[in-house]
Amino acid sequence: MYLIPPHKKQYRANLHCHSVLSDGHKTPEELKEMYKAEGYSILAITDHERPAQHQDLADEDFIMLTGYECYIRPHPKGAYDIYASDVHLNLFARDPMNLKMICFNDCYCRYVKRDNALDGLIRVGSERPREYNTEYINEYIRTAKEHGYLVAYNHPYGSMEDEKDIFSYEGLFSLEICNYGSYRTNYLEHCGALYDKILGKKMHLFCHAADDNHNSYPVDHPKSDSFGAFTMIIPDEFTYDGVINAMEKGEMYASMGPVFHEISLEDNKIHIECSDVAHIFVYMGSKKPKYLHAAEGEVLTSADLELDPNARYVRVSILDSKGRWADTRGFFPEEIGLASGAR
Ligand SMILES: [Zn+2]
Ligand SMILES: [Zn+2]
């Protein structure tokens, strides 16, 4: 069976992006043009607490996903504290015209450019002051799901949450394993180790990567936050519904540069084909991943490795000579027919 099928087209997506509707510096039109020119096919402009649809910018080669980024902080009015942990979630709308605001709270609209469009949006869920605790955050996620959103967990390093808190959230569909806007400031926001712990808890989260660009610097500046991390989505059909369905089914992978051409599985053997990389890893929830390292000055483009018969899950990562990762989601034994799934 294929974990990454060789015959299906992969579409490059930036699933996390800010425009002038909140604290970004580019207009939605500029963002669409710059990402399309760079070879992207999908863009989600996810402004802070500002649902917006940009379907007028979509064309037959480019899909604009509707969504927004929400956050919940310990301060009763949501004030920013550089030392306090918080939670940021990206909401992706199943229906491109869904602009429902989840648990509206005016204190959290500090980054939003206020306009009539915002005031006219439908509000759902409790509007009591937000509470930074598991019960409230799970209520928020549940409300967002009930109202047609897929909910992703953003930049775990940048949010500084305790791992136990992350493990207690219910209903998330994907972990932002790399957030480039955060990564370029700390080189730590590639969170493969956290993703392994999440999978080890049998939490069925996929993973994706995104720029979270605000474009405070031009794209050719060393501090640019565009084009550093993306998600490859592999839909059955290149439509809004096709892309959302692929995301919901985990038919995607995260990358900072390298790409997978194929991953297939036969019996207990995994076959991987990819762009030029220096390292290939298969993580299985044990202390000993399987791996290949390229010899000095050489590259790897494929690997054939034997899976551990007791694998708790299987996920593949590749790392190139520039330190850029690509990561598949975790596949659990029962969904890929591994013997360990029967135990
Ligand atoms: Zn954020
Ligand atoms: Zn953001």
Side-chain angles (χ1 to χ4, degrees):
M1 72 177 295
Y2 290 117
L3 307 188
I4 303 279
H7 50 275
K8 282 176 77 173
K9 187 164 178 201
Q10 303 180 7
Y11 295 89
R12 193 176 292 238
N14 180 16
L15 297 176
H16 188 164
C17 171
H18 297 276
S19 79
V20 293
L21 292 178
S22 62
D23 58 352
H25 289 81
K26 299 273 187 199
T27 65
E29 291 78 9
E30 289 169 332
L31 289 166
K32 187 259 171 122
E33 285 313 314
M34 62 188 267
Y35 275 88
K36 187 169 182 180
E38 193 68 17
Y40 286 65
S41 303
I42 300 160
L43 178 64
I45 298 179
T46 52
D47 278 301
H48 298 285
E49 304 290 337
R50 176 62 166 90
Q53 59 86 10
H54 301 285
Q55 296 312 303
D56 55 323
L57 300 177
D59 61 46
E60 60 182 17
D61 301 317
F62 205 86
I63 286 170
M64 298 292 296
L65 292 179
T66 298
Y68 72 105
E69 182 177 24
C70 68
Y71 62 106
I72 297 158
R73 287 179 176 156
H75 189 279
K77 295 199 168 178
Y80 182 57
D81 176 346
I82 198 168
Y83 284 101
S85 55
D86 55 12
V87 59
H88 289 216
L89 305 171
N90 255 19
L91 275 46
F92 301 103
R94 278 205 176 77
D95 175 341
M97 304 312 280
N98 178 9
L99 301 179
K100 287 179 188 164
M101 292 202 78
I102 306 302
C103 304
F104 176 81
N105 186 298
D106 201 50
C107 299
Y108 280 82
C109 293
R110 70 190 69 222
Y111 305 112
V112 184
K113 300 287 184 293
R114 298 305 294 257
D115 56 28
N116 293 337
L118 179 69
D119 294 333
L121 297 178
I122 297 169
R123 299 172 183 178
V124 295
S126 170
E127 295 188 17
R128 72 181 188 277
R130 292 187 185 173
E131 299 161 35
Y132 181 68
N133 60 48
T134 298
E135 191 182 346
Y136 180 86
I137 292 164
N138 280 334
E139 178 187 326
Y140 192 102
I141 297 168
R142 194 165 57 245
T143 306
K145 287 183 69 179
E146 283 168 8
H147 288 278
Y149 290 106
L150 305 182
V151 183
Y153 188 90
N154 294 350
H155 48 65
Y157 183 85
S159 285
M160 299 187 69
E161 285 209 290
D162 194 286
E163 286 178 357
K164 287 202 182 96
D165 291 331
I166 299 175
F167 301 154
S168 71
Y169 300 147
E170 295 165 359
L172 299 168
F173 94 104
S174 189
L175 173 78
E176 192 179 63
I177 195 169
C178 179
N179 176 297
Y180 187 65
S182 174
Y183 183 85
R184 75 181 173 89
T185 69
N186 54 42
Y187 273 56
L188 292 171
E189 193 77 77
H190 173 270
C191 300
L194 171 66
Y195 189 44
D196 271 324
K197 289 187 182 177
I198 286 172
L199 295 173
K201 297 277 176 198
K202 297 197 174 169
M203 291 174 76
H204 284 231
L205 257 70
F206 306 139
C207 69
H208 64 288
D211 278 340
D212 192 9
N213 51 301
H214 292 68
N215 303 102
S216 305
Y217 301 92
V219 293
D220 56 357
H221 191 281
K223 287 188 172 180
S224 166
D225 51 9
S226 275
F227 312 135
F230 56 89
T231 300
M232 281 296 205
I233 300 179
I234 313 170
D236 289 336
E237 53 170 33
F238 187 65
T239 60
Y240 191 102
D241 285 352
V243 168
I244 283 283
N245 288 340
M247 288 166 64
E248 192 167 17
K249 287 192 284 183
E251 291 169 348
M252 59 181 182
Y253 63 86
S255 181
M256 301 168 73
V259 293
F260 292 104
H261 300 312
E262 173 183 337
I263 302 178
S264 54
L265 205 60
E266 201 175 324
D267 299 324
N268 257 25
K269 293 187 177 60
I270 191 163
H271 173 70
I272 299 152
E273 292 183 26
C274 57
S275 57
D276 292 359
V277 295
H279 310 271
I280 297 177
F281 302 93
V282 180
Y283 299 102
M284 292 171 280
S286 75
K287 292 171 182 161
K288 291 186 183 290
K290 295 287 174 79
Y291 61 91
L292 280 182
H293 300 316
E296 187 71 30
E298 294 181 12
V299 293
L300 296 171
T301 57
S302 70
D304 287 281
L305 295 164
E306 190 146 345
L307 298 178
D308 183 337
N310 297 316
R312 302 256 168 92
Y313 56 84
V314 174
R315 74 175 188 92
V316 180
S317 293
I318 49 183
L319 177 63
D320 74 10
S321 57
K322 293 179 180 164
R324 304 180 304 177
W325 292 90
D327 307 275
T328 73
R329 70 172 174 97
F331 295 88
F332 287 92
E334 53 277 14
E335 57 179 326
I336 53 175
L338 283 188
S340 52
R343 280 195 283 276

